[in-house]
Every structure is written in C-alpha cells, then in structure tokens.
Amino acid sequence: MEYRIEHDSMGEVKVPADKYWAAQTERSHENFPIGVGIETMPREITHAFGILKKAAAIANHKLRPEKMTDQKLAAISGACDEVISGSLNEHFPLVVWQTGSGTQSNMNANEVIANRGNEIAGEKLLHPNDDVNMSQSSNDTFPTAMHISAVLAIEDRVLPAIDTLTATLSRLEEEHEGIVKSGRTHLQDATPIKFSQEISGWRTSLERDREMLVSALPYLKTLALGGTAVGTGLNAPKGFDVEVAKAVSELTGKEFITAENKFHALTSKDEIVFAHGALKALAADMMKIANDVRWLASGPRDGLGEITIPENEPGSSIMPGKVNPTQCEQVTMVAVQVMGNDVAVGMAASQGNFELNVFMPVCAYNFLQSARLLAESILSFNNNCAVGIRANREKMHHNLHNSLMLVTALNPYIGYENAAKTAKKAFRENISLKEACVSLGFLTEERFDEVFHPEEMV
C-alpha cells in the first residue's frame, strides 16, 4: 500500500495515499480497533455531516464572505454533495467506539471534505479546521448530525413503512367484515369478536405509534449548531445558528430551527430518548401484532388455524412439508433488539456531564439501528406476510360455536352463577351449552334458541 504524509498538531502521520482522510482520522483509525468493518459510524451520520457542513459553509459565506469566499464555498459544496450521495463512504472508516463527543468523526468529515474540495478546486484551498469546520465545534456538529439523521430516518423511512402496513390492515378489515370469531383474553376463550374488529386494533396501534413519532419530530428539528464548544457560540458569528438552520432546512426540505438554549442542546439528549421511546412503542406493538398473527396461523391442524399466511420457504431441515411463520419471527426479534437499544439510548443520555454528553456515538448508533430495523422489518412483514393474510372461515365458525364463553350471553336470563354452572357442566361432560342449560332446568330449548345468538354478541 502506498502512503502519503499528513500532519496535525501532534505531528506527522502516514495515511493511505488513495484515501481523502488525513491525520486525525488516521489516529482514530489506529487507536480504536474496535468493531472495525462491523460497527462503523452509521452512514446516516456521514450523510448528515455532508448536509451540515454544506449548510455551515453557506451560512459562513453569508456572514463571513471575506473568509468563506465564493471559491471555497463552491469547493466545499461540491465535496459535500458527494458525501451526501454516499459516493465517498469508503473514506469514512471510523467506528462507533471512539471519543464520546464524536470529535474524530467530525474531523473525518472535515478532512475528507477539505481534501476532496482541494481536488475539485485544483489547488490547496481548504483547511479542515479553518475552513470546513469554520464557526463550528465537534460538540455542536455531532448532536446536530444526530438530529438531522434521526429526522430523516423517521420521516423518510419509518413513517412510510407504517403507512404501508396500515393500508394493508385497512384493506384486510374491509375484506373480512362480518366474519365473527372467538375472542381471547389471557390466552383463554372469551366472548365473540368480528375479525375486522381484531384487525382494527392492530391498525389503530400503528396509527397511534405514528402520532407519537410525529409528536417527537419538533424536538428533533432543533439544532445545536452554533453553540460551538460549550454552548456559548464562541468563534461563531452572530446569527450563524439561525442561518445554518435555514440552510439545513433548504438542503433537506424539512423545517429545522436553531435550538433556543445551546447549553441544553450540547449536554442533553432528551429529544433522542423521547423519540426512541416512540420507536420502542412501535416495536412493542409490532411484537403484539406478529405474535397474534402467528398464534392465529398456528397449525395447520393442531393449532388455532384461524388464518392462513403466505408460505415463503421450507421450515425444517428434517420435517418435510413444514412451513413456519418466519416473518413474524423476524419482527419479534427486531422488536427485542429495539427494546434493548432503548436501554442503551436512555443510559447514554443520562451521562451528560457539565457542558457535554460524551456518549453520543453509541446513542446515535442505537437510535439509527432501531429506526432502520423497524422500517425494513415492517415492510418485509407487510410484503411477505400481512398482504396474504386470509381468514379460515370454517375454523373460525367451529371455534366460535365450540366456545364455552358464549354462555356470557345467558347472563341476563339465568344469572352469572347459573351461567357458570352451565359452562362447567358443558365442559365436564363434553356437551353443548344448550344441552347443559336445558338439562339444568335453567331454560327450555325454545327459550334458549330465542336468546342465544353468538353472531349478535359483537
């Protein structure tokens, strides 16, 4: 491998000749061989750095035109566009497990943009700190990158996935209207319910999760940029925070504003915790929905078997013909991961000491993994399972009319205690509720038929 010599305030460093990063990135690359190639800083963060560095250059050009010249702005913007597109991802090698402020990832962005910008300009025009990092600090850029990436992940990935599955469930409601089945509580038989009503519970859960995620967005759309090192805005021109938020908004098409209190913005990660709580709520509801679906589809002969789901792949290496609810299983595993991530996010956010939180990379890593996994998991579940859910009307009808909890309909006519006696006798002697009720003398056959209509119990 060929190398070139770069330098920083600590001296000279050998850097791979074909990479745009420089001394500080290389030091981090060498000093933190932890999860290399596996737990790289999320690409969503790299993408967000491209956005915020271009926005900072635009704001500096407006407020400090003598320092951020037209030529420098053009070079930085060109390099940032490539960072945003992902075409320079190979030049961002750093791992999550580095400094807790994300300083080295900020410098990675500064160095890559400076070196690529110089290449675009055809001359040594840009300095990583003096130009690309102008009016900024790692302490305000990394939390800004966290918020930008979180907003993009929720609005562009998670919400559309929720909407897709919600639309499928709405269709399933309409298609299965009028089918009455046995309800279940505590995994035990309960009073009847329409299958469409059961599906509506799933749909409304997703709609509520969506509302909660949307409610978290205004907090995430506040940016720390402009607070610099400790929140005072040292070395940033007056109005930089407002201008840079405007530029981020224009670049993303989403309305970001500057954080009112930069001291809070640098040290507290409460907005991330709140938003991840909504992701955890979504994970919890997806766990419930997936479990309901696989319970209802259990069988095909010895389970509930009240619905059928698509058969996507063989389910066993030893049992021929076995098919498993694998899409439900991936959803439940993703849900467990998101719930674990929520603990990590909360713990990381609790570690703000004085003017800075220094657990930001792990906080961002877990948040973005949760958003990414949920979006992809929900779409996979929708496309490979939910769209093909079909009611087994015969099995639903059989289970409904075999349920002892239909006896609840008799409460107004024979009372709770006599209804309980009827149910227990029917179960003990393996006879119908009608036979039990009549034999106990509580109702005549004619009267029983008059008052007992399971389909009307919904």
Side-chain angles (χ1 to χ4, degrees):
M1 180 182 291
E2 295 184 5
Y3 294 90
R4 70 178 188 277
I5 300 299
E6 292 277 358
H7 75 277
D8 59 13
S9 60
M10 296 181 68
E12 294 185 343
V13 180
K14 288 173 59 179
V15 176
D18 62 340
K19 297 297 187 285
Y20 288 127
W21 72 69
Q24 292 200 45
T25 302
E26 184 61 29
R27 291 188 192 280
S28 179
H29 197 212
E30 295 174 2
N31 290 336
F32 298 93
I34 309 165
V36 175
I38 300 172
E39 289 158 334
T40 304
M41 186 64 66
R43 290 308 174 203
E44 295 94 335
I45 292 291
T46 303
H47 178 83
F49 264 111
I51 293 169
L52 75 87
K53 292 297 178 181
K54 183 173 182 177
I58 292 170
N60 280 319
H61 180 258
K62 181 174 183 178
L63 299 171
R64 289 178 165 175
E66 74 286 355
K67 289 191 173 184
M68 183 57 66
T69 63
D70 292 345
Q71 187 182 12
K72 287 183 177 181
L73 174 61
I76 290 175
S77 294
C80 285
D81 287 342
E82 294 182 14
V83 173
I84 293 168
S85 74
S87 64
L88 299 183
N89 281 350
E90 65 174 294
H91 302 278
F92 290 84
L94 301 187
V95 295
V96 172
W97 319 109
Q98 53 162 281
T99 175
S101 63
T103 297
Q104 290 141 6
S105 283
N106 178 48
M107 283 307 304
N108 189 179
N110 291 334
E111 291 175 345
V112 169
I113 293 166
N115 282 330
R116 176 59 183 141
N118 288 335
E119 194 173 73
I120 292 171
E123 62 176 294
K124 190 77 170 179
L125 178 69
L126 303 173
H127 186 279
N129 299 79
D130 296 336
D131 299 305
V132 185
N133 201 58
M134 186 188 298
S135 309
Q136 306 152 62
S137 162
S138 298
N139 297 352
D140 65 351
T141 58
F142 200 91
T144 296
M146 288 175 67
H147 277 211
I148 293 172
S149 60
V151 169
L152 295 177
I154 291 172
E155 288 197 346
D156 295 348
R157 302 197 67 181
V158 180
L159 296 185
I162 293 174
D163 292 342
T164 298
L165 182 54
T166 299
T168 295
L169 295 178
S170 295
R171 174 180 61 79
L172 291 174
E173 277 183 75
E174 295 178 8
E175 291 178 356
H176 295 96
E177 177 61 37
I179 301 175
V180 180
K181 62 184 289 293
S182 179
R184 294 179 178 86
T185 59
H186 304 270
L187 295 181
Q188 305 295 307
D189 302 341
T191 55
I193 186 174
K194 290 195 291 185
F195 187 37
S196 59
Q197 292 173 325
E198 192 166 44
I199 297 171
S200 76
W202 303 340
R203 172 184 53 78
T204 301
S205 293
L206 294 179
E207 291 172 343
R208 184 58 50 82
D209 294 328
R210 190 188 200 284
E211 292 169 358
M212 289 188 286
L213 279 168
V214 169
S215 74
L217 289 171
Y219 305 111
L220 292 174
K221 289 181 177 179
T222 61
L223 302 181
L225 211 54
T228 64
V230 295
T232 60
L234 179 67
N235 291 345
K238 182 176 177 58
F240 174 78
D241 54 352
V242 174
E243 289 300 326
V244 79
K246 287 180 182 178
V248 171
S249 300
E250 291 173 3
L251 292 172
T252 61
K254 304 179 189 301
E255 188 176 350
F256 288 91
I257 60 172
T258 189
E260 183 177 348
N261 188 307
K262 304 299 189 299
F263 307 106
H264 166 269
L266 267 60
T267 193
S268 176
K269 302 299 121 200
D270 48 13
E271 301 95 343
I272 292 287
V273 173
F274 182 71
H276 197 278
L279 290 175
K280 181 175 72 170
L282 174 60
D285 281 330
M286 286 304 301
M287 172 79 85
K288 181 264 193 293
I289 292 169
N291 275 332
D292 282 358
V293 168
R294 64 175 170 177
W295 272 105
L296 291 172
S298 61
R301 290 186 174 176
D302 296 336
L304 295 179
E306 291 191 345
I307 65 172
T308 58
I309 58 177
E311 298 181 351
N312 296 321
E313 63 273 319
S316 173
S317 62
I318 188 174
M319 292 174 280
K322 194 173 193 295
V323 180
N324 297 328
T326 51
Q327 286 297 319
C328 298
E329 291 165 6
Q330 65 84 1
V331 168
T332 56
M333 287 191 289
V334 165
V336 167
Q337 183 65 53
V338 173
M339 292 172 189
N341 287 351
D342 193 69
V343 175
V345 168
M347 288 296 295
S350 73
Q351 299 303 306
N353 303 124
F354 303 113
E355 277 64 62
L356 185 67
N357 177 285
V358 291
F359 285 70
M360 286 190 287
V362 71
C363 195
Y365 175 72
N366 283 277
F367 184 99
L368 293 168
Q369 185 192 57
S370 292
R372 189 186 320 116
L373 287 177
L374 280 169
E376 294 173 359
S377 171
I378 290 170
L379 287 177
S380 180
F381 177 74
N382 178 80
N383 298 340
N384 297 299
C385 182
V387 294
I389 290 175
R390 299 290 181 270
N392 185 336
R393 292 170 180 256
E394 293 77 15
K395 192 63 181 288
M396 286 183 175
H397 183 270
H398 170 78
N399 289 345
L400 172 65
H401 286 269
N402 198 43
S403 173
L404 298 176
M405 288 306 98
L406 297 180
V407 77
T408 307
L410 301 178
N411 284 0
Y413 306 99
I414 64 175
Y416 181 93
E417 291 192 10
N418 286 340
K421 292 177 182 178
T422 298
K424 290 179 179 180
K425 180 178 177 66
F427 179 68
R428 186 172 58 250
E429 299 180 14
N430 195 26
I431 60 177
S432 69
L433 288 172
K434 180 178 181 179
E435 290 171 319
C437 185
V438 171
S439 68
L440 288 169
F442 297 144
L443 291 174
T444 65
E445 290 188 23
E446 295 75 17
R447 182 58 174 159
F448 185 94
D449 290 338
E450 287 178 14
V451 302
F452 189 75
H453 301 288
E455 284 76 10
E456 297 178 4
M457 295 174 67
V458 296

